[in-house]
Amino acid sequence: MRICCSLLLLGWSAIAAEPADALWTARYVVTMDGGRVIEDGAVAVRGERIVAVGPRTEVEARFRPRLRVRRPDAAILPGLINTHTHAAMSLLRGIADDRRLQDWLENYIFPTESRHVSPDFVLWGTRLACLEMLLSGTTTFADMYYFEEQVAEAVKGAGMRGVLGQTVIRFPVADAKTPADALARARRFLDRYRNDPLIVPAVAPHALYTNSAADLRAARALADEFDAPLLIHLSETAQENEDSRAAHGKSPVRVLESLGLLAGRTLAAHGVWLDDADIAVLARRNVGVAHCPSSNMKLASGVAPVPKLLAAGIAVGLGTDGPAGSNNDFNMFEEMDLAAKLQKVTRLDPEVLPAKVILEMATLGGARALGMDHGIGSLAQGKLADFIAVRLDAAHAVPLYDIHSQIVYALKGSDVNDVVIHGRWIVRDRRALTLDAAAILRQARQYADRIRQGLPRIPPFE
Amino acid sequence: MRICCSLLLLGWSAIAAEPADALWTARYVVTMDGGRVIEDGAVAVRGERIVAVGPRTEVEARFRPRLRVRRPDAAILPGLINTHTHAAMSLLRGIADDRRLQDWLENYIFPTESRHVSPDFVLWGTRLACLEMLLSGTTTFADMYYFEEQVAEAVKGAGMRGVLGQTVIRFPVADAKTPADALARARRFLDRYRNDPLIVPAVAPHALYTNSAADLRAARALADEFDAPLLIHLSETAQENEDSRAAHGKSPVRVLESLGLLAGRTLAAHGVWLDDADIAVLARRNVGVAHCPSSNMKLASGVAPVPKLLAAGIAVGLGTDGPAGSNNDFNMFEEMDLAAKLQKVTRLDPEVLPAKVILEMATLGGARALGMDHGIGSLAQGKLADFIAVRLDAAHAVPLYDIHSQIVYALKGSDVNDVVIHGRWIVRDRRALTLDAAAILRQARQYADRIRQGLPRIPPFE
């Protein structure tokens, strides 16, 4: 009788097993789907999508995969989402730290960018950024820069997902002499990538204070025409808010609202100096916010009211900002750690923003802020297969009492062992399979050699 | 004539070359000795000491080493000094995060410690801490805990340097029923390790608020008798200061000063709530301060007045604090990054605490705070050979414009390739040669399994 049953079950299993391209198993699967954590869990992938998430034994019984990947001492979690950066500025990493904004911008960034930013600079700078992001667990990032078609090429080459915003700005820049040029370039970019599986093309008017009302409106109209996100810097510094009040008699959020800029898919970066009325506007308009703790701390911009934003129901993601002064890297594990600690010390409240909330900001919250939570941000059947396997066997990862806490406060970017994006295995055993790391580092160093010669003082021995 | 000269030089070199045990070369040698950075530099070691630091060609010409270690794409810098931690609490890593101090202490830490802390717990917990510290570049740490002789055994086994403080506290603890017991235990500990090459034994009255005046005075007398440092928590929270004012009419610093506690070698941990008069007392008494940014942020203690301390000439080091709530790891690279960013955002000044000053806090400043700068903290002839080689070839480490900035803001603990302590090669190619990592992780996990059963709620799926 027992034998008979087993045979029946075997037969059923052999007949009914569903095909899958890959079946990943791990000590934990941290789904970010209703807070569910599965010990001894599995994720099954077919094509670019997740077809099942559940206990290993169940998923293994249901699927016959072409590929099995076992990670018995790792946690699988959704790929991290960096909601605000300027990837190609990796080539200017740490070029002028510990300086006031004006000194930094006028003596270092603007002269260097005007001299060096080219399609080739953007291509290699973004490749370097992608390499670093992949190796530290980021699968999607939102970018605002120039020559965004080069960014797209680098991102697609890396196999990553990108929300890429072509910059619109008042003064002449490397890829556009006028805002009209920039808008035309943005239109071509939106048109070219409108149906890309990995690229979400976007329009990125730099900020309220660097654009005319007419150009801002044109940017909004262009974004809406393509159902594309509009990315913008917003209320980053106290100065920006003061200037807005002086010029317009109201806060940057209220000015944008009065211009109709927020009526549509929008991601606002920073949001440090938001008052309660601003927050109500952003919540009503469903504007997502990219919180950038490292940048806000390092540039001394201030502390964003993140708990208030979350309480208002605003989608808040985390961002590294660019690595040329605002930050020096693209490490989302460090942003998680900082985001939690910065709020606790500022509000003198150790309970605010617990680890689970922080991890949600780095995953599902970021996806919501970008308007992409239908596809990414959590691990669930039908979602795109964007996930990472993070090792739990480093000295700093042992012992483990709470997986969310461990991820946010103890694990490092260097613990990322594997990255899967759009169903494709991109990082395996800490090596990016899609990028030529040696060539990227060589190119980055050559750029730095040229750039260094044009600086007002000669690092690193000043 | 040219041949003749060359022969002469060769002959001179062969005759005059001095012996050395090891000659390390690197792309940069960051000495922290007067700010000197040597490109294409070298460090020569004989026995436990540095016999030369200089340009590679000069040092190579002068020494004939038994061992040559080439690190052409790394920076050699002084070993990092962690001036405040509770190493064995690694076994309680992340046991109860995001909680108020009283909840954390009363429901998690005290019950767990009273049930589990034993000589074996301390031995294995410290080994785990040493493994993590070594792999992330720490060569010396200051500890305050129980069964400090077990800490010493673990530290010596790891080949690290430790300033180890035997705790004196009012209530019964794992290794002492009374403060008198603790003082007797501290005396035995001081006596046993007074001449150890790696261990600096210390007395660690926990804090003003957890000790009687008589016990504090006895601890001071004992420390002075052995010319040992006294380690103490000081002005960590606003509550501590309020309680002190309520009980004694003055700040904790002023109370300790009136008790004569600061007249002698002293390291004060935290120093968050110091006013100008407190700072003047600490400066006059040459008290070192262990600044713990991660802990102060995560526990919402507040922001220490670090720029004021430095301006007053106080020796300030960095510390991770313990990994069971105050922090979740022993990563000094993260403390450097945090220390800089926390001050910038708090004072809204991006120029405060630049990278070079931060790196000094993590090295020479820590050595000064511990009264050990005659031996460690910088790379110079005659100093002890405690140094690390940090790789510069990760994606996040390229390009490089300023070496100090790169170390503080971009490099990670995982970039540490080699560690040398007291002239001995301890970490080589990211592996600790002195510790059995697999056995340590296994023991740590077994402890966690036992500890988890006694917790009020069951992580990680609460």
Side-chain angles (χ1 to χ4, degrees), chain A residues 97-98 329 401 405 409 412, chain B residues 97-98 329 405 409 412 459:
Chain A
D97 287 319
D98 306 318
D329 52 41
Y401 292 96
S405 174
Y409 297 124
K412 317 292 173 204
Chain B
D97 287 319
D98 306 318
D329 53 39
S405 174
Y409 298 123
K412 317 292 174 205

Side-chain angles (χ1 to χ4, degrees), chain A residues 144-186:
Chain A
M144 296 173 72
Y145 209 56
Y146 313 110
F147 298 110
E148 210 64 30
E149 68 284 358
Q150 301 292 316
V151 178
E153 187 179 322
V155 170
K156 285 174 71 75
M160 289 184 78
R161 203 177 294 286
V163 178
L164 309 181
Q166 176 65 36
T167 293
V168 178
I169 195 162
R170 187 193 301 259
F171 47 83
V173 287
D175 68 346
K177 286 207 169 61
T178 65
D181 287 355
L183 285 160
R185 180 180 267 279

Side-chain angles (χ1 to χ4, degrees), chain A residues 33 69 137 150 195 222 241 256 263 270 299 453:
Chain A
D33 180 22
V69 187
Q150 301 292 316
N195 293 314
L222 183 61
N241 273 37
L256 290 184
H270 299 296
L299 297 179
Q453 291 164 18

Side-chain angles (χ1 to χ4, degrees), chain B residues 49 81-83 139-142 160-164 196-202 227-229 231 265 267 315 363-378 382-384 386 421-422:
Chain B
R49 296 208 176 257
I81 298 173
N82 183 346
T83 54
T139 52
T140 295
F141 71 98
M160 288 185 78
R161 202 179 294 286
V163 178
L164 308 182
D196 195 277
L198 290 171
I199 305 299
V200 175
D227 189 27
L231 316 180
R265 206 172 151 189
L267 179 80
T363 54
L364 191 58
R368 284 179 59 218
L370 292 166
M372 295 169 73
D373 49 309
H374 56 284
I376 59 172
S378 61
K383 279 211 164 181
L384 291 164
D386 286 18
I421 302 175
H422 210 67

